[in-house]
Each structure stands twice: as C-alpha cells, then as structure tokens.
Amino acid sequence: MDHCREVFEAETAAYQIASTTSELKDIVPAYFGIRAGLTVVGADGKDVTNEFYRDLAFEAEFVNCSFEKISASSPDEHRRVVALFRKHGIKHVIDASVCLEDGHISKVIDFATKEVELWHKDSV
C-alpha cells in the first residue's frame, strides 16, 4: 500500500504540473483531479469497490488512441519530449506511453515526478 500511495502521489503531482504548464498541457490528457471515495461497479453491475484502492484514484481526459511506449518514437522525438518534461520537474518518463501521429508525439500518459522503486522489506 505504501508503494502504491507513493506512485499515486508522484503521478498526480506530475499531472498537476503538466496540465498547468503551457509547454506541456497540450500533450497530456486534461487532468481533472483526485477522485477519492468512488464506488466501482463491474460490467455485471456488481459493486467491486473492495478490489481497488479507492482513495488512490484520479480522473483525466479520455484520449482515443492506441498508445505505445515512448521508446517506439524516433530518437529525436523521444529526446524532445523527455527534455520538455524534465525541464518542468517531471523526471520519470522512461516507461511513459505515447500517442504517435505521423511520427510526432501528440499525447503522453503514465509519467511521474520521480521513479518509485518497488522493494520488499526482506530484500534490504
């Protein structure tokens, strides 16, 4: 749970930065904010809320695109977007997913202010 919370905080902080920064806001989904306390209903209409961390939810614009990992973009486009995010304090974009349109990155998802490594207390 601690790991999930730290990832959530790093991602939502990054979305807040990106959605309010003129250089980034057009290439990220619109960020609508944290949505705690939601009820999650499955396709069959049953409440499945207990299968989720419902206080770790945020809402963003739906982007209709087949996303690919950022490494699928050209080296120049990859460098351009990574530098742009890092310029604004968003340092974890290595496994971001992107929408490519004619080789150009039009949208980016799955980024964070920092990388949050998963570790187990017995491995230290």
Short mmCIF file of all heavy atoms in Angstrom, two decimals, residues 10-35:
data_model
loop_
_atom_site.label_atom_id
_atom_site.label_comp_id
_atom_site.label_asym_id
_atom_site.label_seq_id
_atom_site.Cartn_x
_atom_site.Cartn_y
_atom_site.Cartn_z
N ALA A 10 3.33 10.69 -6.83
CA ALA A 10 4.27 11.15 -7.86
C ALA A 10 3.57 11.36 -9.20
O ALA A 10 3.89 12.30 -9.94
CB ALA A 10 5.42 10.14 -8.01
N GLU A 11 2.60 10.52 -9.52
CA GLU A 11 1.87 10.67 -10.78
C GLU A 11 0.92 11.86 -10.74
O GLU A 11 0.86 12.65 -11.68
CB GLU A 11 1.10 9.39 -11.12
CG GLU A 11 2.00 8.27 -11.56
CD GLU A 11 1.25 7.00 -11.92
OE1 GLU A 11 0.02 6.91 -11.69
OE2 GLU A 11 1.91 6.08 -12.44
N THR A 12 0.16 12.01 -9.67
CA THR A 12 -0.78 13.13 -9.62
C THR A 12 -0.06 14.47 -9.54
O THR A 12 -0.50 15.44 -10.14
CB THR A 12 -1.79 12.98 -8.46
OG1 THR A 12 -1.10 12.81 -7.23
CG2 THR A 12 -2.74 11.82 -8.70
N ALA A 13 1.08 14.52 -8.85
CA ALA A 13 1.87 15.75 -8.83
C ALA A 13 2.35 16.10 -10.23
O ALA A 13 2.31 17.26 -10.65
CB ALA A 13 3.06 15.61 -7.87
N ALA A 14 2.77 15.09 -10.99
CA ALA A 14 3.23 15.32 -12.36
C ALA A 14 2.10 15.79 -13.26
O ALA A 14 2.28 16.70 -14.08
CB ALA A 14 3.85 14.04 -12.92
N TYR A 15 0.91 15.20 -13.11
CA TYR A 15 -0.24 15.64 -13.91
C TYR A 15 -0.62 17.07 -13.57
O TYR A 15 -1.00 17.85 -14.44
CB TYR A 15 -1.44 14.70 -13.73
CG TYR A 15 -1.44 13.58 -14.74
CD1 TYR A 15 -0.91 12.34 -14.43
CD2 TYR A 15 -1.97 13.77 -16.01
CE1 TYR A 15 -0.91 11.31 -15.36
CE2 TYR A 15 -1.97 12.75 -16.95
CZ TYR A 15 -1.45 11.52 -16.61
OH TYR A 15 -1.44 10.50 -17.54
N GLN A 16 -0.54 17.44 -12.30
CA GLN A 16 -0.86 18.81 -11.91
C GLN A 16 0.11 19.79 -12.56
O GLN A 16 -0.30 20.83 -13.07
CB GLN A 16 -0.83 18.95 -10.39
CG GLN A 16 -2.00 18.27 -9.72
CD GLN A 16 -1.88 18.20 -8.21
OE1 GLN A 16 -0.82 18.42 -7.64
NE2 GLN A 16 -2.98 17.88 -7.55
N ILE A 17 1.38 19.45 -12.56
CA ILE A 17 2.39 20.30 -13.21
C ILE A 17 2.13 20.39 -14.71
O ILE A 17 2.05 21.47 -15.28
CB ILE A 17 3.82 19.76 -12.95
CG1 ILE A 17 4.19 19.88 -11.48
CG2 ILE A 17 4.84 20.49 -13.84
CD1 ILE A 17 5.43 19.08 -11.08
N ALA A 18 2.01 19.24 -15.34
CA ALA A 18 1.87 19.19 -16.80
C ALA A 18 0.61 19.90 -17.28
O ALA A 18 0.63 20.57 -18.31
CB ALA A 18 1.90 17.74 -17.29
N SER A 19 -0.48 19.74 -16.56
CA SER A 19 -1.74 20.31 -17.02
C SER A 19 -1.82 21.82 -16.84
O SER A 19 -2.71 22.46 -17.40
CB SER A 19 -2.93 19.63 -16.34
OG SER A 19 -2.94 19.91 -14.96
N THR A 20 -0.89 22.38 -16.09
CA THR A 20 -0.89 23.83 -15.88
C THR A 20 0.33 24.51 -16.49
O THR A 20 0.53 25.71 -16.30
CB THR A 20 -0.96 24.17 -14.37
OG1 THR A 20 0.15 23.58 -13.70
CG2 THR A 20 -2.26 23.67 -13.76
N THR A 21 1.13 23.76 -17.22
CA THR A 21 2.33 24.30 -17.85
C THR A 21 2.07 24.46 -19.35
O THR A 21 1.74 23.47 -20.02
CB THR A 21 3.54 23.37 -17.62
OG1 THR A 21 3.74 23.23 -16.20
CG2 THR A 21 4.80 23.89 -18.25
N SER A 22 2.23 25.65 -19.86
CA SER A 22 1.88 25.92 -21.26
C SER A 22 2.61 25.00 -22.24
O SER A 22 2.03 24.59 -23.24
CB SER A 22 2.12 27.38 -21.61
OG SER A 22 3.47 27.72 -21.45
N GLU A 23 3.84 24.64 -21.96
CA GLU A 23 4.60 23.79 -22.87
C GLU A 23 4.16 22.33 -22.85
O GLU A 23 4.47 21.58 -23.77
CB GLU A 23 6.10 23.85 -22.54
CG GLU A 23 6.75 25.17 -22.87
CD GLU A 23 8.23 25.15 -22.56
OE1 GLU A 23 8.59 25.03 -21.37
OE2 GLU A 23 9.02 25.22 -23.52
N LEU A 24 3.45 21.92 -21.81
CA LEU A 24 3.07 20.52 -21.67
C LEU A 24 1.58 20.25 -21.78
O LEU A 24 1.17 19.15 -22.16
CB LEU A 24 3.56 19.97 -20.31
CG LEU A 24 5.06 19.89 -20.10
CD1 LEU A 24 5.37 19.49 -18.67
CD2 LEU A 24 5.68 18.92 -21.08
N LYS A 25 0.75 21.21 -21.45
CA LYS A 25 -0.68 20.93 -21.31
C LYS A 25 -1.34 20.40 -22.58
O LYS A 25 -2.33 19.68 -22.49
CB LYS A 25 -1.43 22.13 -20.76
CG LYS A 25 -1.53 23.31 -21.66
CD LYS A 25 -2.28 24.42 -20.96
CE LYS A 25 -2.37 25.64 -21.84
NZ LYS A 25 -3.07 26.72 -21.15
N ASP A 26 -0.81 20.71 -23.75
CA ASP A 26 -1.41 20.20 -24.98
C ASP A 26 -1.00 18.76 -25.30
O ASP A 26 -1.66 18.11 -26.12
CB ASP A 26 -1.07 21.10 -26.16
CG ASP A 26 -1.77 22.45 -26.07
OD1 ASP A 26 -2.81 22.54 -25.38
OD2 ASP A 26 -1.27 23.41 -26.67
N ILE A 27 0.06 18.26 -24.67
CA ILE A 27 0.49 16.89 -24.98
C ILE A 27 0.17 15.89 -23.87
O ILE A 27 0.60 14.76 -23.92
CB ILE A 27 1.99 16.81 -25.37
CG1 ILE A 27 2.90 17.23 -24.23
CG2 ILE A 27 2.26 17.59 -26.64
CD1 ILE A 27 4.37 16.92 -24.48
N VAL A 28 -0.59 16.33 -22.88
CA VAL A 28 -1.05 15.41 -21.84
C VAL A 28 -2.58 15.49 -21.77
O VAL A 28 -3.17 16.52 -22.12
CB VAL A 28 -0.45 15.73 -20.45
CG1 VAL A 28 1.07 15.60 -20.48
CG2 VAL A 28 -0.87 17.09 -19.95
N PRO A 29 -3.23 14.42 -21.33
CA PRO A 29 -4.68 14.49 -21.15
C PRO A 29 -5.02 15.57 -20.13
O PRO A 29 -4.26 15.81 -19.19
CB PRO A 29 -5.05 13.10 -20.61
CG PRO A 29 -3.90 12.23 -21.00
CD PRO A 29 -2.69 13.10 -21.00
N ALA A 30 -6.14 16.22 -20.31
CA ALA A 30 -6.60 17.19 -19.31
C ALA A 30 -6.73 16.46 -17.97
O ALA A 30 -7.24 15.34 -17.91
CB ALA A 30 -7.93 17.79 -19.73
N TYR A 31 -6.24 17.07 -16.93
CA TYR A 31 -6.27 16.48 -15.59
C TYR A 31 -7.43 17.08 -14.82
O TYR A 31 -7.54 18.29 -14.69
CB TYR A 31 -4.94 16.76 -14.88
CG TYR A 31 -4.88 16.30 -13.45
CD1 TYR A 31 -4.81 14.95 -13.15
CD2 TYR A 31 -4.88 17.21 -12.40
CE1 TYR A 31 -4.75 14.52 -11.84
CE2 TYR A 31 -4.81 16.78 -11.08
CZ TYR A 31 -4.74 15.43 -10.82
OH TYR A 31 -4.68 15.00 -9.52
N PHE A 32 -8.31 16.23 -14.31
CA PHE A 32 -9.49 16.71 -13.60
C PHE A 32 -9.36 16.60 -12.09
O PHE A 32 -10.17 17.13 -11.36
CB PHE A 32 -10.74 15.97 -14.07
CG PHE A 32 -10.97 16.10 -15.56
CD1 PHE A 32 -11.06 14.97 -16.35
CD2 PHE A 32 -11.06 17.34 -16.16
CE1 PHE A 32 -11.28 15.08 -17.72
CE2 PHE A 32 -11.27 17.46 -17.53
CZ PHE A 32 -11.38 16.33 -18.31
N GLY A 33 -8.35 15.87 -11.61
CA GLY A 33 -8.08 15.82 -10.18
C GLY A 33 -8.31 14.47 -9.53
O GLY A 33 -8.73 13.50 -10.15
N ILE A 34 -8.02 14.45 -8.24
CA ILE A 34 -8.15 13.25 -7.43
C ILE A 34 -9.63 12.98 -7.18
O ILE A 34 -10.41 13.89 -6.93
CB ILE A 34 -7.39 13.42 -6.10
CG1 ILE A 34 -5.88 13.56 -6.40
CG2 ILE A 34 -7.67 12.28 -5.14
CD1 ILE A 34 -5.03 13.94 -5.21
N ARG A 35 -10.00 11.71 -7.24
CA ARG A 35 -11.39 11.28 -7.04
C ARG A 35 -11.42 10.18 -5.98
O ARG A 35 -11.51 9.01 -6.29
CB ARG A 35 -12.00 10.75 -8.35
CG ARG A 35 -12.05 11.77 -9.45
CD ARG A 35 -13.09 12.85 -9.12
NE ARG A 35 -13.25 13.76 -10.23
CZ ARG A 35 -12.82 15.02 -10.21
NH1 ARG A 35 -12.20 15.50 -9.17
NH2 ARG A 35 -13.02 15.80 -11.25
#
